[in-house]
Amino acid sequence: ENLTEMMEFALLGFADMPHLQWFLFGLFLVIYIIILMSNGTIFLITKMDPALQTPMYFFLANFSFLEICYVSATLPRMLMNLGTQRRRISMAACATQMCFVLLFGGTESLLLAVMAYDRYVAICNPLHYPLVMNHRVCIQLVTGSWITGIPVMIGHTYQIFSLPFCRSKQINHFFCDIPPILKLACGDTFVNEMLVYIVTVLFVMFPFLLILGSYSKIISIILKLPSATSQAKAFSTCSSHLMVVVLFFGSAIITYLRPNTRHSEGTDKVLSLFYTILTPMFNPMIYSLRNKDVIMALKKL
């Protein structure tokens, strides 16, 4: 029994709001259904509609599928905890959840960078676009985005769960995230904190800088376009992508690059809601409402 207790954590989630448990359950269930249906619809129309068989929509289909995977790593467990009030999670389940959240989060960062590169080639080198972004290159870029993080995130998760946990087993979060888990570890966590910064720089800051570089080039080209109509059309193509980038990277950078002493559990939960739940929910709305091709495909469907 003592061994079982040692191997288990308790995900507190929103336990500090006991009167709102069923309201939160209903709210997050509706959000989860919206995410599944909206991202699933975008995935389907980009595969079925002949007008959407371009690299941009190939990446968007992968992004929508990734969003479904990403949100499914956290939301079902949170809904179960809210519905049953049983907050226990085994160490193996906690490590598995953390590994998948990190893996899907890293893949999302890299895929957003790939989508920025696609827009850069389309706007800055339109004549070479079909040659540069051929189907083989697109598959390689997507496969690289999915595979690159696997060894890093598995190793990173193993490193964190190799620590001794002799303090409280209560995780003040709605999923197994790095900052709240490190707070429960006893002994020196300096190496682990440094690893968090290194992984964040590689999988969040580096893609973010690549995106900024792509968009600085894109904006300089757009401003040189002769007519205001051409400028507006080029900006509308990129603005939806930029909105997703700001929402996702902004919250992720603040969460993982803040010093450990500055971590507030309440703030961490709110920021995590942004990059794990709100981005997957807003992504289809941002892409479909600002995209005439997607709206036309939806009408056809």
Side-chain angles (χ1 to χ4, degrees):
E1 198 176 310
N2 285 346
L3 187 65
T4 308
E5 275 184 30
M6 283 171 67
M7 300 296 282
E8 279 189 338
F9 292 109
L11 277 170
L12 295 182
F14 301 96
D16 53 341
M17 296 183 269
H19 305 302
L20 294 174
Q21 296 299 293
W22 285 107
F23 168 74
L24 290 171
F25 176 81
L27 175 69
F28 287 120
L29 181 63
V30 169
I31 287 172
Y32 189 44
I33 293 165
I34 289 169
I35 290 167
L36 293 180
M37 288 181 69
S38 55
N39 281 289
T41 304
I42 284 194
F43 181 77
L44 277 176
I45 60 168
T46 49
K47 293 293 175 192
M48 290 164 62
D49 197 296
L52 303 182
Q53 303 308 307
T54 63
M56 183 171 104
Y57 296 110
F58 174 71
F59 296 133
L60 182 56
N62 274 277
F63 190 64
S64 294
F65 176 70
L66 172 63
E67 294 288 46
I68 291 170
C69 296
Y70 193 27
V71 82
S72 297
T74 55
L75 256 179
R77 183 93 209 184
M78 183 167 75
L79 288 169
M80 192 183 81
N81 290 351
L82 285 166
T84 62
Q85 295 299 305
R86 288 182 72 250
R87 303 181 188 281
R88 285 186 172 189
I89 183 169
S90 69
M91 190 179 279
C94 193
T96 305
Q97 187 186 49
M98 181 188 282
C99 189
F100 277 112
V101 168
L102 293 177
L103 180 61
F104 294 140
T107 304
E108 185 159 334
S109 296
L110 296 173
L111 201 51
L112 284 168
V114 166
M115 289 165 84
Y117 174 68
D118 171 66
R119 292 300 81 214
Y120 163 74
V121 177
I123 290 170
C124 300
N125 295 302
L127 297 176
H128 295 122
Y129 183 67
L131 190 70
V132 175
M133 299 302 288
N134 61 59
H135 191 60
R136 196 173 113 264
V137 170
C138 292
I139 288 171
Q140 286 172 346
L141 287 168
V142 166
T143 307
S145 300
W146 279 92
I147 288 173
T148 306
I150 292 173
V152 179
M153 299 315 179
I154 290 173
H156 194 35
T157 306
Y158 176 78
Q159 186 87 22
I160 287 166
F161 281 89
S162 298
L163 290 165
F165 296 100
C166 53
R167 293 177 190 163
S168 162
K169 294 290 190 294
Q170 294 187 335
I171 303 168
N172 194 1
H173 214 296
F174 60 88
F175 72 97
C176 294
D177 201 9
I178 297 171
I181 294 281
L182 283 180
K183 280 184 180 175
L184 304 182
C186 42
D188 189 19
T189 58
F190 177 75
V191 174
N192 300 86
E193 284 166 31
M194 286 301 104
L195 278 170
V196 172
Y197 291 134
I198 291 164
V199 170
T200 306
V201 167
L202 287 175
F203 284 89
V204 181
M205 280 303 294
F206 187 59
F208 186 54
L209 291 173
L210 283 175
I211 291 167
L212 289 182
S214 295
Y215 276 102
S216 62
K217 280 276 193 183
I218 287 167
I219 289 163
S220 68
I221 292 285
I222 288 172
L223 294 173
K224 289 174 188 171
L225 291 173
S227 70
T229 315
S230 304
Q231 288 183 2
K233 192 178 177 185
F235 267 122
S236 72
T237 313
C238 303
S239 57
S240 54
H241 185 212
L242 265 175
M243 286 164 77
V244 175
V245 165
V246 169
L247 195 65
F248 177 75
F249 282 99
S251 52
I253 287 167
I254 295 166
T255 301
Y256 294 109
L257 285 185
R258 274 184 306 162
N260 210 27
T261 50
R262 302 268 309 271
H263 276 280
S264 149
E265 285 160 347
T267 312
D268 278 353
K269 276 190 225 178
V270 173
L271 288 167
S272 298
L273 282 172
F274 270 95
Y275 65 83
T276 58
I277 294 168
L278 293 182
T279 307
M281 187 173 75
F282 288 136
N283 161 43
M285 297 178 201
I286 289 167
Y287 278 106
S288 58
L289 293 175
R290 299 181 63 82
N291 191 310
K292 287 174 188 172
D293 294 335
V294 174
I295 289 167
M296 285 297 292
L298 280 168
K299 283 177 182 173
K300 277 189 214 170
L301 189 72

